[in-house]
Amino acid sequence: MKTIIITGSSRGIGFGLAENFLRLGHQVVLNGRDQASLDKALEKLQESFPAGRMAGITGDMGNYDQAAALWEFGADRFGAVDIWINNAGIAQSQSSFWELEAEKIQDLVQTKITGAMYGAKAALTGFQKQGWGALYNMEGLGSDGRRVEDLTLYGTSKRALNYLTDSLAAEVKGTDIIVGALS
């Protein structure tokens, strides 16, 4: 049984990951920015899985203190963290880059890039202390350099995540820490 923290797991792909890891017998820490959404996700999972194998905490991964608090919560609740998955993100409407509001650009970059960096820092710091662990970044459209019209912002964020993943994997080479990507 492994303990897995999944950022952005109160809905969407993150929720699906949580559900499947629970189905495989693991312990999961869910995370999301909205308490009501997180509570709803936990209630739904508790219909099928023992409540003792899951926990949840709100937090914005665009805030390092909240990312670090997520690590501490998971480690305190389950004793150690085996896997951290950076999945938190927000969508972009398909439109030309110059038509996007500046706040939308900032929010997406803060969540997808800065949030992944803060999550990686929190996880890798914890893994260094405990001596092992695996960090996975959720890549997607744009990670491989592929372009889709009117998704420039989203694709750019995923391309940056690809670079972050490759660089961190090189930094932990030779240790008992794994850095990889899910796509």
Side-chain angles (χ1 to χ4, degrees), residues 7-19:
T7 70
S9 50
S10 61
R11 60 181 182 262
I13 292 171
F15 179 83
L17 287 169
E19 185 174 37

Side-chain angles (χ1 to χ4, degrees), residues 85-173:
I85 300 174
N86 274 324
N87 175 69
I90 58 174
Q92 175 207 329
S93 61
Q94 198 160 355
S95 59
S96 296
F97 183 79
W98 59 87
E99 294 173 340
L100 296 172
E101 296 176 13
E103 295 80 20
K104 178 68 171 183
I105 295 169
Q106 181 179 3
D107 193 26
L108 191 140
V109 169
Q110 185 71 15
T111 301
K112 288 184 170 288
I113 299 174
T114 306
M117 289 179 168
Y118 287 164
K121 178 176 172 45
L124 292 172
T125 299
F127 291 149
Q128 291 288 338
K129 288 179 185 171
Q130 72 183 23
W132 82 94
L135 165 68
Y136 295 98
N137 290 318
M138 184 63 72
E139 292 187 351
L141 177 77
S143 297
D144 61 359
R146 187 169 40 114
R147 291 172 186 79
V148 172
E149 185 176 345
D150 295 334
L151 287 177
T152 298
L153 178 60
Y154 184 88
T156 298
S157 73
K158 292 299 187 174
R159 189 68 172 157
L161 201 53
N162 175 266
Y163 185 92
L164 176 66
T165 302
D166 288 349
S167 294
L168 293 176
E171 288 185 21
V172 300
K173 189 175 180 177

Side-chain angles (χ1 to χ4, degrees), residues 2-141:
K2 304 245 184 241
T3 298
I4 303 155
I5 292 178
I6 308 167
T7 70
S9 50
S10 61
R11 60 181 182 262
I13 292 171
F15 179 83
L17 287 169
E19 185 174 37
N20 281 293
F21 281 124
L22 287 165
R23 185 173 291 116
L24 292 169
H26 300 294
Q27 301 172 139
V28 177
V29 177
L30 284 83
N31 160 262
R33 291 194 279 191
D34 179 70
Q35 187 66 54
S37 180
L38 184 60
D39 290 344
K40 183 178 175 183
L42 288 166
E43 287 172 18
K44 181 162 177 54
L45 291 172
Q46 288 171 5
E47 293 172 4
S48 302
F49 307 103
R53 289 197 7 241
M54 68 188 82
I57 182 174
T58 58
D60 182 345
M61 292 301 99
N63 177 308
Y64 178 72
D65 291 338
Q66 292 180 35
L70 175 58
W71 171 273
E72 292 302 323
F73 177 81
D76 289 348
R77 174 75 164 79
F78 293 113
V81 176
D82 299 289
I83 300 171
W84 177 292
I85 300 174
N86 274 324
N87 175 69
I90 58 174
Q92 175 207 329
S93 61
Q94 198 160 355
S95 59
S96 296
F97 183 79
W98 59 87
E99 294 173 340
L100 296 172
E101 296 176 13
E103 295 80 20
K104 178 68 171 183
I105 295 169
Q106 181 179 3
D107 193 26
L108 191 140
V109 169
Q110 185 71 15
T111 301
K112 288 184 170 288
I113 299 174
T114 306
M117 289 179 168
Y118 287 164
K121 178 176 172 45
L124 292 172
T125 299
F127 291 149
Q128 291 288 338
K129 288 179 185 171
Q130 72 183 23
W132 82 94
L135 165 68
Y136 295 98
N137 290 318
M138 184 63 72
E139 292 187 351
L141 177 77

